[in-house]
Amino acid sequence: MMLAASSILALVMGIGVIFIRMKAAKKPTSVKKIILPPFFMSTGALMFVVPEFRVTLMEFLEAMAVGMIFSILLIKTSKFEIRGEDIYLKRSKAFPIILMSLLVIRLVGKVMLSTTIDLGELSGMFFILAFSMIVPWRIAMYVEYRKLLRSIESDQAETPVI
């Protein structure tokens, strides 16, 4: 029952992320919009206060490695563009497909692993996986954003004021 409920919740959240991302592409991005989601998500680490959610070192490393591998796909599909003096996140047709594919892979993995790993530990592992996926992705976005911002600033410095 808990496995089904958590899987449905993950699916709903994944669909929500797609809609949020599509809406965000209509407005200029900012440093805050890039770096705040991992900070907000980090509060979920409080789950590890409860012994039921704690994982072994090996489980931690496995979840982190898979999350970092998955982040590569998100990094590859997140590009920015300059419009006027603002920086926008480009809409990628592949992003929703990749995000849903990663979600399905996670759900299948959760179902398969739930027979051998306790649900609490599994929840901890999937939190680590998700966090290990979002942090490198957001760092890459921040680096790309800063490059474009420096480009805009240098263009403005070179443009003579009349």
Side-chain angles (χ1 to χ4, degrees):
M1 179 68 176
M2 288 298 287
L3 182 63
S6 66
S7 297
I8 291 169
L9 182 62
L11 186 63
V12 169
M13 289 175 64
I15 292 168
V17 167
I18 291 170
F19 284 109
I20 290 169
R21 172 81 185 260
M22 292 168 81
K23 187 176 177 183
K26 295 178 183 177
K27 297 178 184 173
T29 195
S30 67
V31 170
K32 271 198 237 181
K33 290 179 182 179
I34 294 169
I35 64 172
L36 285 180
F39 283 108
F40 295 146
M41 187 180 173
S42 68
T43 61
L46 288 172
M47 72 191 303
F48 297 111
V49 170
V50 179
E52 177 180 325
F53 296 108
R54 293 183 189 151
V55 298
T56 66
L57 177 61
M58 195 61 182
E59 291 169 336
F60 175 83
L61 294 174
E62 289 169 354
M64 191 171 79
V66 171
M68 293 176 93
I69 290 167
F70 283 178
S71 74
I72 294 167
L73 295 170
L74 296 174
I75 292 167
K76 295 286 184 193
T77 58
S78 298
K79 301 295 176 206
F80 292 106
E81 63 184 349
I82 298 172
R83 291 189 220 153
E85 294 182 9
D86 294 315
I87 300 171
Y88 288 81
L89 190 57
K90 277 187 189 179
R91 287 181 106 163
S92 167
K93 291 178 182 171
F95 182 80
I97 295 165
I98 288 171
L99 192 65
M100 290 309 293
S101 299
L102 291 174
L103 184 61
V104 168
I105 291 168
R106 285 178 58 194
L107 291 174
V108 168
K110 195 173 193 178
V111 169
M112 289 173 49
L113 293 172
S114 68
T115 60
T116 57
I117 300 174
D118 179 61
L119 187 59
E121 280 181 81
L122 196 57
S123 298
M125 287 179 71
F126 276 94
F127 171 81
I128 294 164
L129 185 151
F131 195 70
S132 298
M133 189 168 60
I134 195 173
V135 169
W137 174 38
R138 293 301 175 137
I139 290 171
M141 288 175 72
Y142 176 75
V143 168
E144 181 68 22
Y145 177 83
R146 293 294 302 162
K147 277 187 211 172
L148 291 175
L149 192 59
R150 280 193 294 274
S151 171
I152 290 171
E153 289 168 352
S154 70
D155 287 349
Q156 289 175 344
E158 293 174 6
T159 305
V161 178
I162 301 175

